[in-house]
Amino acid sequence: MKLITHNILMCNKKGCTKNNFPLRLVVKQYADYEADNAQEYSANLMTRLLEKLDWNALKITVATLPDWGIALPDAVTPELAKDEAFLQSLHMLLVRRQIIDGEMVCPNCERSYEIKNGIANMLLQEDEV
Amino acid sequence: MKKSKKQRGEGETTKKLSTFKLKSFITFLSQVAQFPDPKIDLEQYMTPPDIAANLFSILHQDEDSIENKRIADFCSGTGMYSCASTYFNPLSITGFEIDPEAIEVAQENVLSMEIADRVDFINCDILKIVENNPKLHGLFDTVVMNPPFGTKNNEGIDMKLLSAAITCCKGKVFSLHKESTSAYIQKYVKEQHPGLEAELMHKIEFDLPNTYKFHKKKSATTEVVLVKIDVSKREVRKVTEMLGAQKLE
């Protein structure tokens, strides 16, 4: 599962409608694809990905993963959006990095959604819907 | 109302992949493993590789709905449509599937086909997640879907899923339905989603060879139709109505 997918998921539990995004990401295992094996980098690809991204949610999430050693700027300025080195590092983060095992925890109700074998499990129990 | 209804194989105006490329596409999709034990209540069956390859060639070449697009695969099953989408370099693919066993097979499929970095699968009840998650609304350029036909104690599920697909889409929805329900689908879309229309594109014959043990015949043929809904028309309509212009027809 990639961070762009985490970026669109919120808690679905019945009654949990506020402060339920972004889910707190706990990473137990991740893997980085080699540049040769992953979706090819292009400035256009990165621009298109950024269009739909909730940047603030991404920034908050990455900040809670200190061992990744990545600090994102507050906003993507027009200058940054043309900066090759910045876009390359985003390609690494958004395209090549896969979360294999972990969980996503709702900041409001603490409901945990498991990530196992790269699959996000957003299924709810009967009493949660 | 404009209707286009083409028989399979008749598409002389269709710009097609070269025979060679289509063959390699079919070979590529032949690696997608089936449901090991199809569940009757979920009406699980997989689109055969040759049909999927033809279908996605059309979506790519005639509809320009794959390359550089953000794609959702609703009821992704073992991943046939997600895998087919990877062939034409999309922006991203997200598969949504309720059955954990199917999604595990799907994940094994993309891993062995070495396309796991292109597809993310989410195990969820699509109807619930779409209802509760406004982040998904209007997010995807293209939604592809092979929903259950809503025949086995599941009546109306296909229409609910179609509505969910329309909600999450800002480009085009492509969905497979039983041919016998096509008039109803057109009426439903017109009523539930004013300004939109369901266009019947291609008729396909599905052989469902012994998918379920209760099938009496060795193989049953089902007439299926590819339905297209151009959701981008909704936006145009809104704007024109705001400007007090004449209704689009």
Side-chain angles (χ1 to χ4, degrees):
Chain A
M1 192 197 84
K2 294 183 287 292
L3 281 179
I4 54 163
T5 299
H6 168 265
N7 200 261
I8 59 171
L9 294 176
M10 46 173 64
C11 185
N12 301 297
K13 203 176 137 179
K14 191 184 174 185
C16 186
T17 52
K18 280 178 191 161
N19 187 31
N20 59 352
F21 176 85
L23 300 170
R24 194 172 73 240
L25 183 62
V26 181
V27 179
K28 289 177 191 143
Q29 193 198 340
Y30 70 87
D32 292 337
Y33 271 75
E34 297 291 333
D36 300 354
N37 293 331
Q39 193 168 5
E40 200 181 338
Y41 169 84
S42 76
N44 182 42
L45 168 72
M46 299 319 295
T47 310
R48 290 275 286 131
L49 278 179
L50 280 169
E51 270 170 29
K52 304 247 180 129
L53 205 67
D54 186 324
W55 183 260
N56 195 44
L58 178 72
K59 185 180 161 271
I60 294 169
T61 301
V62 170
T64 61
L65 301 163
D67 51 327
W68 284 14
I70 300 165
L72 293 174
D74 285 337
V76 183
T77 59
E79 292 75 44
L80 268 179
K82 286 182 213 138
D83 185 312
E84 175 88 12
F86 173 71
L87 292 181
Q88 286 278 7
S89 65
L90 271 188
H91 182 252
M92 168 75 226
L93 187 66
L94 299 177
V95 176
R96 290 167 57 193
R97 182 155 295 185
Q98 303 279 326
I99 294 133
I100 312 285
D101 272 296
E103 59 178 325
M104 295 178 282
V105 184
C106 175
N108 180 43
C109 75
E110 298 283 319
R111 169 67 155 89
S112 165
Y113 299 91
E114 196 182 31
I115 305 164
K116 206 174 153 192
N117 188 26
I119 303 164
N121 183 354
M122 303 300 290
L123 282 176
L124 295 169
Q125 301 297 317
E126 255 174 54
D127 58 345
E128 295 177 314
V129 294
Chain B
M1 190 167 60
K2 222 180 90 188
K3 258 192 219 175
S4 104
K5 201 168 178 182
K6 289 180 201 159
Q7 292 285 341
R8 193 181 156 210
E10 195 189 272
E12 53 287 312
T13 55
T14 311
K15 198 173 78 183
K16 284 195 169 169
L17 293 186
S18 70
T19 314
F20 175 74
K21 200 172 177 198
L22 187 62
K23 272 187 182 167
S24 9
F25 192 16
I26 295 170
T27 308
F28 172 72
L29 292 181
S30 305
Q31 302 171 79
V32 179
Q34 257 279 24
F35 297 97
D37 186 16
K39 296 187 177 68
I40 289 167
D41 58 334
L42 296 176
E43 298 178 51
Q44 291 173 331
Y45 68 95
M46 190 179 80
T47 306
D50 58 334
I51 293 180
N54 277 295
L55 212 57
F56 276 79
S57 302
I58 293 164
L59 300 198
H60 170 61
Q61 301 226 340
D62 299 350
E63 299 291 335
D64 189 24
S65 293
I66 310 290
E67 192 171 358
N68 216 9
K69 302 285 191 250
R70 191 153 186 175
I71 295 168
D73 177 5
F74 277 15
C75 310
S76 50
T78 61
M80 178 56 83
Y81 290 180
S82 294
C83 294
S85 300
T86 64
Y87 213 66
F88 301 108
N89 208 15
L91 189 66
S92 69
I93 306 161
T94 318
F96 298 81
E97 169 60 45
I98 196 165
D99 179 18
E101 288 170 34
I103 221 165
E104 266 177 44
V105 177
Q107 184 75 353
E108 281 166 30
N109 282 335
V110 294
L111 281 168
S112 67
M113 292 163 81
E114 300 186 335
I115 48 173
D117 62 310
R118 313 294 164 99
V119 188
D120 279 357
F121 290 110
I122 302 172
N123 198 187
C124 65
D125 180 337
I126 296 165
L127 297 177
K128 288 277 172 276
I129 203 170
V130 170
E131 188 187 327
N132 298 332
N133 184 345
K135 290 242 153 234
L136 298 173
H137 300 179
L139 179 72
F140 298 101
D141 301 305
T142 304
V143 181
V144 293
M145 167 164 88
N146 180 14
F149 293 144
T151 44
K152 310 253 180 294
N153 309 317
N154 228 349
E155 224 174 309
I157 185 82
D158 50 344
M159 293 299 112
K160 285 182 193 162
L161 284 161
L162 194 60
S163 277
I166 291 169
T167 303
C168 293
C169 188
K170 68 164 190 173
K172 293 176 196 163
V173 172
F174 298 94
S175 185
L176 286 187
H177 294 271
K178 250 190 159 158
E179 220 258 334
S180 55
T181 61
S182 52
Y184 178 69
I185 292 167
Q186 291 185 304
K187 183 168 167 273
Y188 175 88
V189 170
K190 214 169 188 173
E191 283 173 7
Q192 299 295 315
H193 304 276
L196 298 184
E197 89 179 58
E199 189 183 324
L200 310 178
M201 290 178 72
H202 294 256
K203 211 157 75 171
I204 304 157
E205 275 199 0
F206 264 45
D207 282 324
L208 303 175
N210 274 334
T211 311
Y212 305 118
K213 291 191 181 92
F214 66 78
H215 280 158
K216 282 173 194 153
K217 293 177 198 164
K218 273 194 174 164
S219 113
T221 312
T222 306
E223 295 259 283
V224 174
V225 64
L226 174 65
V227 174
K228 170 171 88 172
I229 299 154
D230 190 342
V231 182
S232 63
K233 285 184 180 160
R234 179 170 56 192
E235 302 306 321
V236 176
R237 177 101 171 196
K238 266 186 205 157
V239 174
T240 26
E241 276 175 5
M242 262 161 47
L243 295 170
Q246 281 193 323
K247 282 186 178 179
L248 298 173
E249 207 51 69

